[in-house]
Amino acid sequence: MKRLLIKGGRVITAVDDYVGDVLVEDGRIAAVGTSLEVQDVETLNAQGRLVLPGGIDVHTHLDMPFGGTTSADDFESGTVAAAFGGTTSIIDFAIQYKGQTLRDARDAWMRKAEGKAAIDYGFHMIITDLPQAVEDEMDVMVREGVTSFKLFMAYRGVLMLDDGSIFRALLRTGQNGGTICMHAENGDVIDVLVRRALAAGHTAPKYHALTRPARAEAEATYRAICLAEMAEVPLYVVHLSAHEALEKIAEARDRGLPAHAETCPQYLFLSYENYEEPGFSGAKYVMSPPLRPKGNEEALWRGLAMNDLQAVSTDHCPFCMKGQKELGKDDFSKIPNGAPGIETRMSLLFDGGVHRGRLSLNRFVEVTSTSPAKIFGLFPRKGTIAPGSDADLVIFDPERSVTLSAATLHHRVDYTPYEGRVVKGAAETVISRGEIVVKDGVFRGRAGRGEFLKRRPR
Ligand code: URP
Ligand code: ZN
Ligand code: ZN
């Protein structure tokens, strides 16, 4: 039996906060206590450190064809980077292309992950085409552990679904216990604005943001809420960026509707002003929804603190500046949408949230691990520190300062949106199902050791 004893750390879950020990046996947590005496066991001294449940990032795009290229991290580089940052589970997105079955899409993404993932992974299914046979197949996916579906209200002709199909998908999840994740932006309005901007000769990266108004996000968010309300099912809005959209979620929750939403670090730490950086540098931040004007981020922090937002994911969708973002050098609409962030989420959130007094330690754990686990059918296997749970643990140094830089991060991208930013709080030792995968800045895991997460329906 493989055993590990983590001694004397400050154990934090969404509800606990005590100095104690955690005993790990065969990949699971065997016991927690204030002074466990165990013989013949490898001991990790966690004094002066926090012991946290492993981070869960429910929004990543590894090895994903998009915007005329493929995201730069595959399941190996992406999950290794995640582990360095203190994330021990991800949920990535498989894509069903038009005419394809969901099973084929799921199997294609399984093949991308198998033999490569260094931490555990699950999949949401992006549905781009919903004939009756595919609608029926949604039940099969839910039974087989792919219990959530992403639908797009933008990117017409590529990923976007019409409202009727969205409504049918929502109704179906009411029966099969799945969850709909919504990309909420009014795609048709955006397409008109993009065509007009290009016709006027506006080609620079900043026009990506100027053609995707916050109101287009708020309108789609409200429409999604209404569709889910009429279908009488819960809803999860992904990568919420604008306070105008947050108002719609808060209003729905105040009415008692099961509306959930995540935001991402880029919307908490960056702003429209980044698009004004010289030359083509603004392309680093081309993502959808775009960064919003300064001031917006405080509304999102408040939303996190008040539980109008339930999770912080990364939407890690990395493209190198060289050879990838460059595709849009003369036309902002050809810049592949997305940015890296899988490794920096926990440190950024800890620094901006806990150290800046915006989030309690418990709330930090809740939005980075526990809530995502609950919403997506992983709790209590993941997302907490309790006997029987997977031993996904992070020994976290709350006082260590780190300067974020592409030169030292482990993702396979030639930039980070946070270059030079100093953050306080960093993962020191990362344990995945009882195995030390990162210690003292060294990766000790193995590509392919990550397991597929068959998730429970609602
Ligand atoms: O710009 C983004 N967000 N790229 C990834 C695809 C998506 O919509 O999540
Ligand atoms: Zn999206
Ligand atoms: Zn995404």
Side-chain angles (χ1 to χ4, degrees), residues 220-301:
T221 302
Y222 181 62
R223 185 159 29 107
I225 289 167
C226 293
L227 293 172
E229 183 179 6
M230 288 185 276
E232 298 181 33
V233 294
L235 173 74
Y236 182 87
V237 174
V238 294
H239 48 45
L240 188 142
S241 73
H243 75 83
E244 292 90 336
L246 176 59
E247 276 166 16
K248 303 298 173 196
I249 296 283
E251 199 177 274
R253 292 177 67 80
D254 288 348
R255 285 202 289 126
L257 295 174
H260 305 103
E262 63 177 23
T263 190
C264 311
Q266 50 269 35
Y267 305 120
L268 296 165
F269 290 89
L270 305 171
S271 66
Y272 168 79
E273 287 70 14
N274 290 96
Y275 294 111
E276 304 272 5
E277 288 175 12
F280 189 60
S281 197
K284 291 175 188 167
Y285 316 99
V286 167
M287 62 188 77
S288 296
L291 302 177
R292 303 300 183 188
K294 258 203 172 71
N296 187 78
E297 74 286 357
E298 282 310 330
L300 299 181
W301 281 113

Side-chain angles (χ1 to χ4, degrees), residues 150-156 160-161 163 166 182-191 208-209 211-224 237-241 245 267 287-292 337:
K150 182 175 178 188
L151 310 181
F152 282 80
M153 301 172 93
Y155 300 110
R156 184 175 283 283
M160 183 167 156
L161 270 190
D163 285 354
I166 289 174
M182 196 69 82
H183 179 123
E185 287 186 296
N186 186 318
D188 285 339
V189 165
I190 288 164
D191 288 347
H208 172 77
T211 54
R212 300 185 95 93
R215 195 48 62 189
E217 184 184 351
E219 182 277 328
T221 302
Y222 181 62
R223 185 159 29 107
V237 174
V238 294
H239 48 45
L240 188 142
S241 73
Y267 305 120
M287 62 188 77
S288 296
L291 302 177
R292 303 300 183 188
N337 286 198

Side-chain angles (χ1 to χ4, degrees), residues 20-47:
D21 309 333
V22 181
L23 178 65
V24 172
E25 279 179 4
D26 280 342
R28 298 243 174 107
I29 294 167
V32 291
T34 45
S35 52
L36 298 178
E37 290 305 329
V38 187
Q39 305 302 313
D40 302 324
V41 68
E42 181 181 351
T43 301
L44 293 173
N45 178 5
Q47 269 180 9

Side-chain angles (χ1 to χ4, degrees), residues 60-65 70-83 90 92-93 108-119 121 123 316-320 324 340 342-343 410-413 443 446-448:
T60 67
H61 300 278
L62 303 177
D63 200 0
M64 182 179 83
T70 299
S71 59
D73 275 311
D74 65 8
F75 276 82
E76 181 170 347
S77 62
T79 55
V80 168
I90 60 166
D92 202 85
F93 290 85
W109 255 261
M110 284 284 203
R111 284 192 295 275
K112 287 173 189 269
E114 272 163 11
K116 288 198 163 183
I119 57 171
Y121 58 93
F123 295 113
H316 179 79
C317 188
F319 298 105
C320 290
Q324 295 195 295
I342 203 164
E343 189 173 346
H410 300 84
H411 60 203
R412 204 189 281 157
V413 199
F443 179 63
R446 180 176 49 81

Side-chain angles (χ1 to χ4, degrees), residues 103 106 139-147 452 454-455:
R103 193 183 286 277
R106 191 264 323 265
D139 300 357
V140 180
M141 286 298 112
V142 171
R143 279 201 300 277
E144 295 182 0
V146 176
T147 58
F452 171 67
K454 185 170 181 229
R455 294 180 289 120

Side-chain angles (χ1 to χ4, degrees), residues 24 27-29 52-56 88-89 120 369 381-385 389-394 430-435 449 453:
V24 172
R28 298 243 174 107
I29 294 167
L52 310 173
I56 302 177
T88 51
S89 302
D120 293 349
S369 183
R381 178 180 168 193
K382 309 281 190 191
T384 194
I385 300 176
S389 295
D390 280 359
D392 289 358
L393 299 162
V394 179
V430 181
I431 298 161
S432 161
R433 275 182 288 100
E435 214 179 300
R449 63 165 297 288
L453 293 169

